[in-house]
Amino acid sequence: MSLRNKLCASGTKKLLALEGGGIRGVLALEYLIEIERVLREQAGGREVRLCDYFDYIAGTSTGAIIAAGLSLGLSAGDLLDFYARNGKQMFDKASLLRRLHARFEDDNLAGKLKEVYGEARTLGDPGLQTLLLVVLRNATTDSPWPVSNNPCARYNDRDRRDCNLALPLWQIVRASTAAPTYFPPETVTIGPNEFVFVDGGVTVYNNPAFLVFLMATMEAYWPNRDRIDRIAWPAPTGADRLLVVSVGTGTMPNPNAGLLPDDMNIFYNVTRIPSALMFAASTEQDMLCRVFGDCRAGEPLDREIGDLRGSAGPVEPKLFTYLRYSTELSRENLDRLGAGHLEVDHVRKLDGVEHLDAMRAVGRAAAARQVAAAHFAGFPVANAAEA
C-alpha cells in the first residue's frame, strides 16, 4: 500500500519505534524478523513486509537506518544482511590524528547509506511506503530535530525554500547516526541555512516511541490536512484503535560494577556519556508508553514498579496498546536465554562489530521468548485486497 493510500485508509493505525544502539541494531533486527514471522502466520502464510503492516515507522541513530530501510520496503532480513556485510566497513577506525574528533571515519558509512537508499532519494520520495520519522540533534540550534515525511507538516510545504521533503534521505539518516566520540557530525544545507547535526541519541528521543505517538496523534503536527482529500490522520487514540510497538537494542544493568570515584576521569566521562544518555532516554520513553498505553508486552522496568502490564494509571481509558521488546544484557539474563557461553562485554559494545554473531544470537533467543501472536490481537494484517 502506498503512503497516500495509508494516509486515507480508515481503521486501526500501527506505529513502530526503533531505538539507537550502534551495531547492536542487529539485536533489534532479530526481534523484527520474529515479528515478521508472526505476522506472516497471521496472514495465512502470505508474505508480509513491515511496511505493509505499520503506518508510521520511527527511528533514532541505528534505528533510523533500519526505519528508513523498512519504509522503503526492505525486509528485516534484508537489513540484517546489510549490517552483516557492511558492519566492519561502517565502523572504519579513523586515523590517529582524526581520532581526536571521532573514533571512526564517516565516508564508508555515508557510502553504504547512499548505496542502500539511493543517493538521489529524498525524504519526500514516493518510494517511502510509510510515514517515516528520523530523530536528529541540531548542534547549531542546540535542540532535538524530529524530521518526518508527513506531507501535512509545517516544514514539509514544497513551496518553502527550507522544505524538509527535499533533504537527501541518506544524509538525514547519516546525521542521526553521528554519535559524539564515535562519528563526525554531519553538515546539512536546509534552504538558505547550514546546520551541524549529531546523533539523535543524545536527545531524550533515543527511543522515539512516545514521540512518534505524539506526532501521529497531535493536530499540531498536521496543520495542512487540506492538502490530501479524505485524510484519516491525526491517528485516532484508544487501546482498540492504535498500536505502538517499541523495539530496543538491549539494556545494561550495573555496567560499571566496581567503579571507584578516581576512575571517573575526563576520558571515562567522554566515552561513557553517550551510552548513559541513550539508556536514560530510552527508559523514560518506555515508561511513558507503559503509563499512557495498555502494556501487553515488556520486560520489568525496575524492581519497584515491575513491567506495568495491565496496570492502572493517571490516564484511563488507555490511549493505545503498547508492546515493548528488548532484553537485559546481563550475565544472569544471558544464562536464562541459553546464551551462557557468550561474554557479556562482547554483546554490550555499541561498536563491537567483531561480536556481531553473538549479538544476533542474543536477539534471536530473546525474540523467541518474548514475541507472541496474542500481542497483536485486534490489529490484524490487512487482507490482500486492502493491501
Side-chain angles (χ1 to χ4, degrees), residues 35-186:
I35 292 171
E36 284 180 337
R37 187 193 66 76
V38 167
L39 295 178
R40 280 198 304 272
E41 286 188 354
Q42 188 186 90
R46 176 166 54 87
E47 182 66 26
V48 176
R49 298 168 301 168
L50 295 181
C51 67
D52 300 323
Y53 185 74
F54 289 101
D55 302 285
Y56 207 148
I57 303 178
T60 302
S61 194
T62 199
I65 296 176
I66 298 169
L70 295 177
S71 186
L72 287 169
L74 297 177
S75 70
D78 292 333
L79 287 160
L80 187 56
D81 289 343
F82 170 77
Y83 273 70
R85 288 195 315 271
N86 301 301
K88 289 184 179 178
Q89 295 97 311
M90 290 192 294
F91 284 85
D92 179 31
K93 282 188 166 44
S95 65
L96 288 175
L97 182 60
R98 285 175 60 84
R99 281 184 214 177
L100 293 172
H101 300 281
R103 296 189 207 176
F104 303 104
E105 300 285 359
D106 61 332
D107 290 345
N108 282 344
L109 176 57
K112 295 301 179 183
L113 295 178
K114 292 175 187 178
E115 183 181 305
V116 72
Y117 305 141
E119 186 170 359
R121 179 170 274 125
T122 64
L123 182 62
D125 192 282
L128 290 166
Q129 299 171 50
T130 71
L131 289 163
L132 173 67
L133 168 62
V134 175
V135 180
L136 321 168
R137 178 178 176 270
N138 190 327
T140 304
T141 62
D142 197 22
S143 59
W145 270 43
V147 177
S148 83
N149 64 337
N150 171 2
C152 304
R154 186 177 311 279
Y155 288 94
N156 287 350
D157 183 344
R158 292 190 182 274
D159 291 332
R160 297 182 64 106
R161 292 177 62 195
D162 57 353
C163 176
N164 287 334
L165 295 180
L167 297 174
L169 180 62
W170 74 265
Q171 192 175 35
I172 295 170
V173 173
R174 160 69 187 95
S176 182
T177 65
T181 78
Y182 285 88
F183 289 102
E186 182 75 14

Side-chain angles (χ1 to χ4, degrees), residues 2 13 37 59 85 105 122 140 161 210 213 218-219 227 244 261 265 270 285-286 309 341 343 352 354 358 376:
S2 69
K13 303 298 181 188
R37 187 193 66 76
R85 288 195 315 271
E105 300 285 359
T122 64
T140 304
R161 292 177 62 195
F210 198 70
F213 160 69
M218 286 178 56
E219 290 191 7
R227 294 181 196 164
V244 179
N265 52 35
V270 166
Q285 291 275 302
D286 185 15
R309 293 193 208 183
H341 60 289
E343 294 291 333
E354 66 274 23
F376 299 87

Side-chain angles (χ1 to χ4, degrees), residues 1-13 55 129 131 151-152 222 225-234 386:
M1 185 185 293
S2 69
L3 174 57
R4 183 176 180 85
N5 288 342
K6 276 189 167 72
L7 291 171
C8 298
S10 58
T12 60
K13 303 298 181 188
D55 302 285
Q129 299 171 50
L131 289 163
C152 304
W222 299 82
R225 284 175 290 170
D226 56 346
R227 294 181 196 164
I228 300 175
D229 293 334
R230 300 183 302 279
I231 188 169
W233 296 70
E386 291 171 334

